Structure formats: structure tokens, C-alpha cells
């Protein structure tokens, strides 16, 4: 089973993604902050992380750097609102493996994201 960590400062998004991917046989943990995310990187050892770019006081890019320096094999998919292309470019330069944009549609999650995650996990 693929271990997926969802990092977002909005609890509803965490819960939504958790149940969505649990229904599809992923093992999912969630983190509302960068600190909690790094704790779970050690204890839960996710293969893939869905990482929000904008989280209150913490920048997701910062978390991305911490994750990649701790374990570059973890696949990180950035989750971001539209119109933040500069942040996306920065994230890809910092080693992000892919990105998806909010608002997250069920249809998109169903096909694209699930496929992306499965591919990334298989290569890890
Ligand atoms: Mg956010």
C-alpha cells in the first residue's frame, strides 16, 4: 500500500483528500503544518507527499526543501491555487516532482492525480 502524506493548512482539504485516497487503498496521514509534516516524514515515512504551497506562516517551498534534504527519494506533488506560476517554477527548481492546482476537482483527482501518484510511487 502506498503511504501518502497530505499537507495543507485547511483541515477540510486534508480530510477530503484523506478519505478520497483511503477509499482507493492508499495509507494516508495528514498534517496541518510544516512542523507536523516533518515529524510524519520521520515516523510515517511517506512515499508521496501532496504539499500545499501556501500555509499560513509557513511556506510550502520551505517544507519542500526540508523534505528533499532529508530524503530526496520522497516524491512531492505541490498543491497550489491558480495564478501562482512563479511559485510553481520555484518549486520545480527545488526538486518538486509535479504539481496540481486548486480548486481540486473530483474528476481530476480520480484520473490524473491518482495516476501521477501511482507512477511516482512505483518509481520510488
Ligand atoms: Mg493553504
Amino acid at each position: 500500500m502506498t503511504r501518502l502524506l497530505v499537507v495543507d493548512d485547511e483541515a477540510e482539504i486534508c480530510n477530503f483528500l484523506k478519505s478520497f485516497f483511503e477509499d482507493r487503498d492508499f495509507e494516508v496521514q495528514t498534517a496541518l503544518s510544516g512542523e507536523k509534516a516533518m515529524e510524519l516524514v520521520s515516523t510515517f515515512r511517506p512515499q508521496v507527499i501532496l504539499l500545499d504551497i501556501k500555509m499560513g506562516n509557513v511556506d510550502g517551498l520551505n517544507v519542500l526543501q526540508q523534505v528533499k534534504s532529508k530524503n530526496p527519494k520522497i516524491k512531492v506533488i505541490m498543491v497550489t491555487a491558480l495564478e501562482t506560476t512563479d511559485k510553481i517554477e520555484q518549486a520545480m527548481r527545488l526538486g518538486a516532482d509535479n504539481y496540481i492546482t486548486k480548486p481540486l476537482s473530483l474528476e481530476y483527482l480520480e484520473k490524473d492525480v491518482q495516476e501521477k501518484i501511482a507512477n511516482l510511487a512505483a518509481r520510488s
Side-chain angles (χ1 to χ4, degrees):
M1 225 195 308
T2 301
R3 288 185 306 279
L4 171 69
L5 173 61
V6 176
V7 187
D8 201 300
D9 60 339
E10 288 167 80
E12 313 88 78
I13 292 182
C14 282
N15 296 338
F16 167 73
L17 290 171
K18 187 178 197 303
S19 58
F20 180 89
F21 284 103
E22 276 178 349
D23 286 348
R24 284 150 186 87
D25 286 334
F26 286 82
E27 194 181 341
V28 186
Q29 294 269 343
T30 62
L32 293 167
S33 68
E35 292 79 14
K36 180 70 182 169
M38 290 316 295
E39 194 184 306
L40 284 167
V41 164
S42 299
T43 57
F44 175 56
R45 293 180 298 108
Q47 287 138 298
V48 183
I49 299 178
L50 283 178
L51 176 58
D52 185 20
I53 284 190
K54 267 177 93 177
M55 294 186 290
N57 50 347
V58 187
D59 194 327
L61 295 179
N62 200 282
V63 179
L64 168 66
Q65 282 178 293
Q66 287 181 59
V67 168
K68 286 292 182 179
S69 70
K70 193 170 172 73
N71 183 355
K73 274 162 63 178
I74 298 175
K75 301 299 178 187
V76 182
I77 298 176
M78 306 308 291
V79 181
T80 177
L82 292 169
E83 316 301 336
T84 48
T85 43
D86 54 324
K87 286 274 186 189
I88 293 169
E89 278 166 25
Q90 242 179 299
M92 298 309 276
R93 272 200 305 275
L94 291 171
D97 295 280
N98 218 324
Y99 66 90
I100 55 175
T101 51
K102 291 179 183 176
L104 304 170
S105 79
L106 270 181
E107 198 186 359
Y108 184 66
L109 283 169
E110 184 71 61
K111 294 179 190 155
D112 223 62
V113 179
Q114 215 192 329
E115 233 174 66
K116 265 177 199 169
I117 288 178
N119 287 342
L120 287 175
R123 282 191 272 124
S124 66

